[in-house]
Each structure stands twice: as structure tokens, then as C-alpha cells.
Amino acid sequence: MSEKIYDTVMVGAGPSALAAAVYTTREDIETVLYEKGVIGGLAAITDKVDNYPGFPDGIEGLTLAGHLEKQAERFGAQIEFGQVESIRSDGDIKTLVIDGQDVKARSVLIATGSDYNKLGIPGEAEYYGRGVHYCATCDGAFYREKKLVVVGGGNSAVQEAIFLTRFTTHIDLLVRSTIKASDVLQQELQKFVDDGKITVHLATTPNEIIVTDGTFEKVTATKDGEATEFNADGVFIFVGLKPNTEFLGGSGVELDEQGLIKTDIHLETSVKGIFASGDVRSGATMQIASAVGEGATAALAIREYLDSMPHTEAAPALEAVL
Amino acid sequence: MSEKIYDTVMVGAGPSALAAAVYTTREDIETVLYEKGVIGGLAAITDKVDNYPGFPDGIEGLTLAGHLEKQAERFGAQIEFGQVESIRSDGDIKTLVIDGQDVKARSVLIATGSDYNKLGIPGEAEYYGRGVHYCATCDGAFYREKKLVVVGGGNSAVQEAIFLTRFTTHIDLLVRSTIKASDVLQQELQKFVDDGKITVHLATTPNEIIVTDGTFEKVTATKDGEATEFNADGVFIFVGLKPNTEFLGGSGVELDEQGLIKTDIHLETSVKGIFASGDVRSGATMQIASAVGEGATAALAIREYLDSMPHTEAAPALEAVL
């Protein structure tokens, strides 16, 4: 209803948006973030973050998320809960429909991240981060000299299984049907199979993840119709990534073949004034450090964009609320 | 002399290289960093870092640099002091000449940063970070409702002076000869001059920065041959950036017109196997968060590059030292 126009609206309140908000608000760019789930995103539900630079002994994901939130709020970021349903751009003004209400902004940052696809089996959600993992770069190093189960048969499953062999003594690779990875990856995989480092189990569907008295025990599965099980110290699941971009239909924001947002070098999307950063962006690494860095870079691009607009002084918008 | 070949050599040990080293070493990629100056780079000599995400109340630059160093070393990064004089690429092997000695590597990360050009006047070095600044995004917010002197007449000086008006009550812009900024920026500047927010002083050369009893007092200058002075709470100097890329002559690594290193989206330079991240990269933001994020991203690209090489197992190189 109101004629209020924000300088920038950020969709999502994970590490990338929170980092961007530290930058924009510190420069008096009026900023509101809309989060539909958890402030801090995937970081907030990560047990231990070992590789976010600045914390030599690692830091709990929830603690890091709290730091990021506090820092953004210190400079005046406003964080709201709400589901963004659509975005449209009418020249210099962007309109977001959030829980059925119109919200207007001069610029938008999309930092909604991506979710890992789940198997949906018992034990998977309960032991997330404590035996059940979706990111080899993040958590592989916790499994030095250990035995793992890896689930998946696509490019990323095969690539990450090969990567994980640098830590593990042995990997059972469970593939629901047949391996879909590229020929090059399959040839590479064969070397690890020949060396006895990876055993491939085709036509094998995981049923349950069993943890006994806090110790990871095994993954039960059905192989060719028969029950079987795989003892291990943990399981890594690579069955795809779901970028949170479904609300972009009709926005004109271009996506790549995986549904991730395409950006230019300044992190601007195909729609002028709409930017993207973090794990929702094409080329994303699923690393907090990269997401945070891109958030900072995007914030500078947003400032430059706002400065280049006609009648862009932030002042009127600010005064309207005061 | 030795036939030792590192998996990766990083040139520089600032935030970007240290972040990259956290990632590579945590994945058992044998990594050595060569630093010619200060570990932690510009961050280490920054008084207070207010916008590195994760530290809600800010953190001393030296403390942050120490954290980054400790974290990289925790996973096995080796940090050496030495000046890299040249790099050449012979197919899959890169040879760096460091203090006259050959060092060989399968991959290289260049993260040598850029230095701000200095005026070279009394007071400038002594009060760096405590009244004397080179980065408006980093330190502008410390000057809310304050009076500043800005030095420079190029695009970045004019752009940053305009940016700083969002904090300051008044800015004296000292220009040695005439303004060299683009027409668009000059027109924009004129509005702030008309509003009385910026006063431009042409043919004005700063002579000394005066701080009395710990309080910033003024900048003395010569204007049209006569001594003059400008009272203020601080000075921002924008007289250019010097990327640390002089050792790249003959390497084949392409630079942009400012001497910054061109990279593709995976942060690889024009030479296969040589990567660049942080403030030495074309498009750099001079922000620690961005430099750290790019370090993480570059490390993942380096891993992928090493994995794609024939006979790439890290093992042989590692065993050679054990």
C-alpha cells in the first residue's frame, strides 16, 4: 500500500546476504532482508565450520551465523521473515511480492542459496553433520583413515568419491541404477576401483542410516531386491542440488541449465539492478567463505548501481521512515 | 637443485593466499607460500577491520591476520619469506625464481595484492589508519558528521569524495593540477560543489599531515605557490593503486590496463595452471572479505586443475620429502 521504496531488498539471510548487508548498511544504504527459513542459512545448521577463514580452530555453524547476523544488525540491517513469491522489474523500480504483499526497491540481491537433495530415509536428517554429509570439501577432512559410504551415480558423486579417497581407507559407492558420470570420470573411477580404494555397487538403494550409541554404524540397502548393509564411519550423499530460484519465474532473470542464476563479473543478473551472490549463483562453490566474499563484492556493485541512478540519493527513502 | 615439485606455490601471504592455503592444505595439497613483506598483507597493518564478516564488533587487522596465519598453518601450510623474481611455465611444471633459486610447482596462485600509492609527505606513514586513509569503503564510516580532506583528481578520487559525503559535513578536495575524472563524474561532482558539501582546490599540493596530541588537526599545502592549510578530522588519499605484478614480465600472464591480472570465472589466468585471487586481480574490490572468498574459490579451482593433470596424485611429491 505504502509508497515506501527501499534502496535494496535482499532475498535470503544466509552468509552471503548478511555479509552484503554489513557493507550496504554501513554505507547508509537502507537494506531489508527477507528470510523464509533460518537466519544464517545452511551455515546455521552446520555442526562445525572448519574452513571459514578467521577462526583457526573452527567455529560452530550456529555461532558463526549469529556473529554475521549481529554484525549486519549493528549497522542497521532489518531482517524480516517472509517468503518471496515473485519479482518484477519496472524500469528503475523492482517489485517483490512477499507473503502476498508488494515490497518496492531500487535494487535487489538474490542470495537464497541452494539446498542439497535428500534421500529421505530414516537417520538422514537426525544425523546431518554427525555422520551424514553433503559436502566433501567441507567435511571430507574429518574422515582421515576412515571408511565411508558414498551415495550417487552422477558426475558430482563420482568426482567427490574420488576426492574423498585422499582421506579414506575405503569407500563403498552406492548407485541406484547405473553410473551416469562422464566417460572421463568413469575411466578415472576405474583406477580407484582397480586399486581397491572404491567398490561400486550398482542397482543399490539405501534404506536407513544406523547410528548406535552416538557411533555411526552402517547404511542398510536393497541390492538387486535383496537386503544388504555397508559398515562405515559416515556417509556422503551426492544426489543433486536444488537452487532456490523457483520464485524467479517471469522475472526475466536468466538461469543456467542447473537452475542457478547467471551473473556477470559484477554479480549483476540479466536484469539491470538485480544482483545475485553465494550458492544460488552459477559457478557457486557451496563454501561460506566464497558466499561471504561474493556478498561483499555484490554490495559494492549495488552501491555503484544506486549511485549511477538518476535521483538516487538514499536520503528521501530514509527520511520517509523517520 | 633438488627435483622437488610442490603441488602449489602461492605468491604472497595476505588474506587471499592464507584463505586459499586453508583449503588446499586441508585437502593434503602440499602448499608453500612466499611472502616478501608482512604476513597478512595490508590487513596486518590495518588498525581496525570493521566489515570482515564474522566479527560483529570489528577486529584489529593484526589479530585477524594472526588468525588467518594460524589456521593455514594448522592444516600444514608452509610460509617462507622470499621475493619471487619471475615465473615461467614449461607445460605442466611452473618454475619460480625466488631469491635467485628455482622453485618448482604443478600450480601457482598469485595473491600479491596491490599497494596504494603514497604522497610521501611527513605524517602520512605515521598516522596510517589513525587519520590517514586510502579506502573509503573500509574507513569512511568512521567519519560520520566529520570534516575530511580528500587528495587526488582522478576518477577514483572524485568518486570516493562523492561517496564520502554521505558521512561527512564537508570535504576539501585537493587536486595537484586539474581534475582528470570523466565528464560524468565531474558533472556529478558539480552538484556537491553547488550544495556546499565539497570544495575543490586546484593547483594545490599537500605538504604535511599534522596531528597534535593524538588528534588529527590539519593538512598543510601549497596552493598557487602560497602556503595554506585545511583543518579536518582526517584525510583520504586517492592517487592510484600499484598492483604487485612487476615479477610477471615474461611469464605470459595477461594484465589489464591498470596492471591487474586478468582471470576467467574460475580465477585462472591466461596461463594454464596459474591462478590469481584478491587485490591483484582485475576487478578486485580491495576488501578482505572478497579477497578471502576468492582465495577459497581459487583453491577449489586449483584442486580441480591438479586432479585433471596426468599422474597428479599428490603422493609422490609428498613422499619425496618424508
Side-chain angles (χ1 to χ4, degrees), chain A residues 34-85:
Chain A
Y34 283 93
E35 172 59 52
K36 69 169 182 178
V38 178
I39 295 174
L42 277 186
I45 54 166
T46 299
D47 202 41
K48 188 182 176 189
V49 178
D50 214 16
N51 53 11
Y52 183 71
F55 299 92
D57 303 314
I59 181 169
E60 274 184 33
L62 192 60
T63 307
L64 178 58
H67 287 345
L68 296 171
E69 180 185 356
K70 195 173 156 203
Q71 194 168 2
E73 287 180 336
R74 175 181 154 214
F75 295 114
Q78 186 185 336
I79 305 178
E80 305 284 351
F81 286 93
Q83 175 131 19
V84 178
E85 290 152 11

Coordinates of all heavy atoms in Angstrom, one line a residue, chain A residues 34-85:
Chain A
Y34 N 14.8 -10.5 3.6 CA 13.6 -11.4 3.8 C 14.1 -12.9 3.8 O 14.7 -13.3 2.8 CB 12.5 -11.2 2.7 CG 11.7 -10.0 3.0 CD1 12.1 -8.7 2.4 CD2 10.6 -10.0 3.9 CE1 11.4 -7.6 2.7 CE2 9.9 -8.8 4.2 CZ 10.3 -7.6 3.6 OH 9.6 -6.5 3.8
E35 N 13.8 -13.6 4.9 CA 14.2 -14.9 5.0 C 13.0 -15.8 5.2 O 12.1 -15.5 6.0 CB 15.2 -15.0 6.2 CG 15.5 -16.4 6.7 CD 16.2 -17.2 5.6 OE1 17.2 -16.7 5.0 OE2 15.8 -18.4 5.2
K36 N 12.9 -16.9 4.5 CA 11.8 -17.8 4.7 C 12.0 -18.9 5.7 O 11.1 -19.6 6.1 CB 11.3 -18.4 3.3 CG 12.2 -19.4 2.7 CD 11.6 -20.1 1.5 CE 12.6 -21.1 1.0 NZ 12.1 -21.9 -0.1
G37 N 13.3 -19.2 6.0 CA 13.6 -20.3 6.8 C 14.5 -19.9 8.0 O 13.9 -19.2 9.0
V38 N 15.8 -20.2 8.0 CA 16.6 -20.0 9.1 C 17.6 -18.9 8.8 O 18.3 -18.9 7.8 CB 17.4 -21.3 9.4 CG1 18.4 -21.1 10.6 CG2 16.5 -22.4 9.7
I39 N 17.8 -17.9 9.7 CA 18.8 -16.9 9.5 C 20.2 -17.5 9.6 O 20.4 -18.3 10.6 CB 18.7 -15.7 10.6 CG1 17.3 -15.0 10.4 CG2 19.8 -14.8 10.5 CD1 17.0 -14.0 11.4
G40 N 21.0 -17.3 8.6 CA 22.3 -17.9 8.6 C 22.3 -19.1 7.6 O 23.4 -19.6 7.3
G41 N 21.2 -19.5 7.1 CA 21.1 -20.5 6.0 C 21.7 -21.8 6.4 O 21.7 -22.2 7.6
L42 N 22.3 -22.5 5.4 CA 23.0 -23.8 5.7 C 24.0 -23.7 6.8 O 24.2 -24.6 7.5 CB 23.6 -24.3 4.4 CG 22.7 -25.0 3.4 CD1 23.5 -25.6 2.3 CD2 21.9 -26.2 4.1
A43 N 24.7 -22.5 6.8 CA 25.8 -22.4 7.8 C 25.2 -22.6 9.2 O 25.9 -23.2 10.1 CB 26.4 -21.0 7.7
A44 N 24.0 -22.1 9.5 CA 23.4 -22.1 10.8 C 23.1 -23.5 11.3 O 23.0 -23.8 12.5 CB 22.2 -21.3 10.9
I45 N 22.9 -24.4 10.3 CA 22.6 -25.8 10.7 C 23.8 -26.7 10.5 O 23.7 -28.0 10.5 CB 21.4 -26.4 10.0 CG1 21.5 -26.2 8.4 CG2 20.1 -25.6 10.4 CD1 20.5 -27.0 7.7
T46 N 25.0 -26.1 10.3 CA 26.2 -26.9 10.2 C 26.9 -27.1 11.5 O 27.0 -26.1 12.3 CB 27.2 -26.2 9.2 OG1 26.6 -26.1 7.9 CG2 28.5 -27.0 9.1
D47 N 27.2 -28.3 11.9 CA 27.8 -28.6 13.2 C 29.1 -27.8 13.4 O 29.1 -26.9 14.3 CB 28.1 -30.1 13.3 CG 28.1 -30.6 14.7 OD1 27.3 -30.1 15.5 OD2 29.0 -31.4 15.0
K48 N 30.1 -28.1 12.6 CA 31.4 -27.4 12.8 C 31.8 -26.8 11.5 O 31.9 -27.6 10.5 CB 32.4 -28.3 13.4 CG 33.7 -27.5 13.8 CD 34.8 -28.4 14.3 CE 36.0 -27.6 14.6 NZ 37.2 -28.4 14.9
V49 N 32.2 -25.6 11.4 CA 32.8 -25.0 10.2 C 34.3 -24.9 10.5 O 34.7 -24.1 11.3 CB 32.2 -23.6 9.9 CG1 32.8 -23.0 8.7 CG2 30.6 -23.7 9.8
D50 N 35.0 -25.6 9.7 CA 36.5 -25.7 10.0 C 37.3 -24.8 9.1 O 38.4 -24.5 9.4 CB 36.8 -27.2 9.7 CG 37.9 -27.7 10.6 OD1 38.1 -27.0 11.7 OD2 38.5 -28.7 10.3
N51 N 36.7 -24.3 8.0 CA 37.5 -23.7 7.0 C 37.0 -22.2 6.7 O 37.3 -21.7 5.6 CB 37.6 -24.5 5.7 CG 36.2 -24.9 5.2 OD1 35.2 -24.4 5.7 ND2 36.2 -25.8 4.2
Y52 N 36.2 -21.6 7.6 CA 35.9 -20.2 7.3 C 37.0 -19.4 7.9 O 37.3 -19.5 9.1 CB 34.6 -19.8 8.0 CG 34.2 -18.3 7.7 CD1 33.8 -18.0 6.5 CD2 34.4 -17.4 8.7 CE1 33.6 -16.6 6.2 CE2 34.2 -16.0 8.4 CZ 33.8 -15.7 7.1 OH 33.5 -14.4 6.8
P53 N 37.7 -18.7 7.0 CA 39.0 -18.0 7.4 C 38.7 -17.0 8.5 O 37.9 -16.1 8.4 CB 39.5 -17.4 6.1 CG 38.9 -18.2 5.0 CD 37.5 -18.6 5.5
G54 N 39.5 -17.1 9.5 CA 39.4 -16.1 10.7 C 39.2 -16.9 12.0 O 39.4 -16.3 13.0
F55 N 38.9 -18.1 11.9 CA 38.6 -18.9 13.1 C 39.6 -20.1 13.1 O 39.2 -21.2 12.6 CB 37.2 -19.3 13.2 CG 36.3 -18.1 13.3 CD1 35.7 -17.5 12.2 CD2 36.1 -17.5 14.6 CE1 34.9 -16.4 12.3 CE2 35.3 -16.3 14.7 CZ 34.7 -15.8 13.5
P56 N 40.8 -20.0 13.6 CA 41.8 -21.0 13.5 C 41.4 -22.4 13.9 O 41.9 -23.4 13.4 CB 43.0 -20.5 14.3 CG 42.7 -19.1 14.6 CD 41.2 -18.9 14.4
D57 N 40.6 -22.5 15.0 CA 40.2 -23.8 15.5 C 38.8 -24.2 15.0 O 38.2 -25.1 15.6 CB 40.3 -23.8 17.0 CG 41.7 -23.4 17.5 OD1 42.7 -23.9 16.9 OD2 41.8 -22.5 18.3
G58 N 38.3 -23.5 14.0 CA 36.9 -23.8 13.5 C 35.9 -23.1 14.4 O 36.3 -22.5 15.5
I59 N 34.7 -23.1 14.0 CA 33.6 -22.4 14.8 C 32.3 -23.2 14.5 O 32.1 -23.7 13.4 CB 33.5 -20.9 14.4 CG1 32.4 -20.2 15.2 CG2 33.3 -20.8 12.9 CD1 32.5 -18.7 15.0
E60 N 31.5 -23.2 15.5 CA 30.1 -23.8 15.3 C 29.4 -23.0 14.3 O 29.4 -21.8 14.3 CB 29.3 -23.9 16.6 CG 29.6 -25.1 17.4 CD 28.7 -25.1 18.7 OE1 27.6 -24.6 18.6 OE2 29.2 -25.5 19.7
G61 N 28.7 -23.7 13.4 CA 27.9 -23.0 12.3 C 26.9 -22.0 12.9 O 26.8 -20.9 12.4
L62 N 26.3 -22.4 14.0 CA 25.2 -21.6 14.6 C 25.9 -20.3 15.2 O 25.3 -19.2 15.1 CB 24.5 -22.3 15.6 CG 23.2 -21.7 16.2 CD1 22.2 -21.5 15.0 CD2 22.6 -22.6 17.3
T63 N 27.0 -20.5 15.8 CA 27.7 -19.3 16.4 C 28.2 -18.3 15.3 O 28.0 -17.1 15.4 CB 29.0 -19.8 17.1 OG1 28.6 -20.8 18.0 CG2 29.7 -18.7 17.9
L64 N 28.7 -18.9 14.2 CA 29.1 -18.0 13.1 C 27.9 -17.3 12.5 O 28.0 -16.1 12.3 CB 29.8 -18.9 12.0 CG 30.3 -18.1 10.7 CD1 31.2 -17.0 11.1 CD2 30.9 -19.0 9.7
A65 N 26.8 -18.0 12.3 CA 25.6 -17.4 11.8 C 25.2 -16.2 12.7 O 24.8 -15.1 12.3 CB 24.5 -18.4 11.6
G66 N 25.3 -16.5 14.0 CA 24.9 -15.4 15.0 C 25.8 -14.2 14.9 O 25.3 -13.1 14.9
H67 N 27.1 -14.4 14.7 CA 28.0 -13.3 14.5 C 27.6 -12.5 13.3 O 27.7 -11.3 13.3 CB 29.5 -13.8 14.3 CG 30.1 -14.4 15.5 ND1 29.6 -14.1 16.8 CD2 31.2 -15.1 15.7 CE1 30.4 -14.7 17.7 NE2 31.4 -15.3 17.0
L68 N 27.4 -13.2 12.2 CA 27.0 -12.5 10.9 C 25.8 -11.7 11.1 O 25.7 -10.5 10.6 CB 26.9 -13.5 9.8 CG 28.1 -14.3 9.4 CD1 27.7 -15.4 8.4 CD2 29.2 -13.4 8.8
E69 N 24.8 -12.2 11.7 CA 23.5 -11.5 11.9 C 23.7 -10.3 12.8 O 23.3 -9.2 12.5 CB 22.5 -12.5 12.6 CG 21.2 -11.9 12.9 CD 20.2 -12.8 13.7 OE1 20.6 -14.0 13.9 OE2 19.1 -12.3 14.0
K70 N 24.5 -10.5 13.9 CA 24.7 -9.4 14.8 C 25.4 -8.2 14.1 O 25.1 -7.0 14.3 CB 25.5 -9.9 16.0 CG 25.5 -9.0 17.2 CD 26.2 -9.7 18.4 CE 26.8 -8.6 19.4 NZ 27.9 -9.1 20.2
Q71 N 26.4 -8.6 13.3 CA 27.2 -7.6 12.6 C 26.3 -6.8 11.6 O 26.4 -5.6 11.6 CB 28.4 -8.3 11.9 CG 29.5 -7.3 11.4 CD 30.7 -8.1 11.0 OE1 30.7 -9.3 11.1 NE2 31.7 -7.4 10.6
A72 N 25.5 -7.5 10.9 CA 24.6 -6.8 9.9 C 23.6 -5.9 10.7 O 23.4 -4.8 10.3 CB 23.9 -7.8 9.1
E73 N 23.1 -6.4 11.8 CA 22.2 -5.6 12.5 C 22.8 -4.4 13.2 O 22.2 -3.3 13.4 CB 21.4 -6.5 13.5 CG 20.4 -7.4 12.8 CD 19.6 -8.3 13.8 OE1 20.2 -8.6 14.9 OE2 18.6 -8.7 13.4
R74 N 24.1 -4.6 13.6 CA 24.8 -3.5 14.2 C 24.8 -2.2 13.3 O 24.7 -1.1 13.8 CB 26.2 -3.9 14.5 CG 27.1 -2.8 15.0 CD 28.6 -3.2 15.2 NE 29.4 -2.1 15.1 CZ 30.7 -2.1 14.6 NH1 31.2 -3.2 14.2 NH2 31.4 -1.0 14.6
F75 N 24.9 -2.4 12.0 CA 24.9 -1.3 11.1 C 23.5 -0.9 10.6 O 23.4 0.1 9.8 CB 25.8 -1.5 9.9 CG 27.3 -1.7 10.3 CD1 27.9 -2.9 10.2 CD2 28.0 -0.7 10.9 CE1 29.2 -3.1 10.6 CE2 29.3 -0.8 11.3 CZ 29.9 -2.0 11.1
G76 N 22.5 -1.6 11.1 CA 21.1 -1.2 10.8 C 20.4 -2.1 9.8 O 19.3 -1.7 9.3
A77 N 20.9 -3.2 9.5 CA 20.1 -4.1 8.6 C 18.8 -4.6 9.3 O 18.8 -4.8 10.5 CB 21.0 -5.3 8.2
Q78 N 17.8 -4.6 8.5 CA 16.5 -5.0 9.0 C 16.2 -6.5 8.5 O 16.3 -6.7 7.3 CB 15.5 -4.0 8.5 CG 14.1 -4.1 8.9 CD 13.2 -3.1 8.2 OE1 13.7 -2.1 7.6 NE2 11.9 -3.4 8.1
I79 N 16.0 -7.4 9.3 CA 15.8 -8.8 8.9 C 14.3 -9.2 9.2 O 13.9 -9.1 10.3 CB 16.7 -9.8 9.6 CG1 18.2 -9.3 9.3 CG2 16.5 -11.2 9.1 CD1 19.2 -10.2 10.0
E80 N 13.6 -9.6 8.1 CA 12.2 -9.9 8.3 C 12.0 -11.4 7.8 O 12.8 -11.9 7.0 CB 11.3 -9.1 7.4 CG 11.5 -7.6 7.6 CD 10.8 -7.1 8.8 OE1 10.0 -7.9 9.5 OE2 11.0 -5.9 9.2
F81 N 11.0 -12.0 8.4 CA 10.6 -13.4 7.9 C 9.5 -13.2 6.9 O 8.6 -12.5 7.1 CB 10.2 -14.3 9.1 CG 11.4 -14.7 9.9 CD1 11.8 -14.0 11.0 CD2 12.2 -15.8 9.4 CE1 12.9 -14.4 11.7 CE2 13.3 -16.2 10.1 CZ 13.7 -15.5 11.3
G82 N 9.7 -13.9 5.8 CA 8.7 -13.8 4.7 C 9.1 -14.6 3.5 O 10.3 -14.8 3.3
Q83 N 8.2 -15.1 2.8 CA 8.5 -15.8 1.6 C 8.3 -14.9 0.3 O 7.2 -14.4 0.1 CB 7.6 -17.0 1.5 CG 7.8 -17.8 0.2 CD 7.9 -19.3 0.5 OE1 7.6 -19.8 1.6 NE2 8.5 -20.0 -0.5
V84 N 9.4 -14.8 -0.4 CA 9.3 -14.0 -1.7 C 8.7 -14.9 -2.7 O 9.1 -16.0 -3.0 CB 10.7 -13.5 -2.1 CG1 10.6 -12.7 -3.4 CG2 11.3 -12.6 -1.0
E85 N 7.6 -14.4 -3.3 CA 6.8 -15.2 -4.3 C 7.1 -14.9 -5.7 O 7.1 -15.7 -6.6 CB 5.3 -15.1 -4.0 CG 4.9 -15.7 -2.7 CD 3.7 -15.1 -2.0 OE1 3.0 -14.2 -2.7 OE2 3.4 -15.4 -0.8

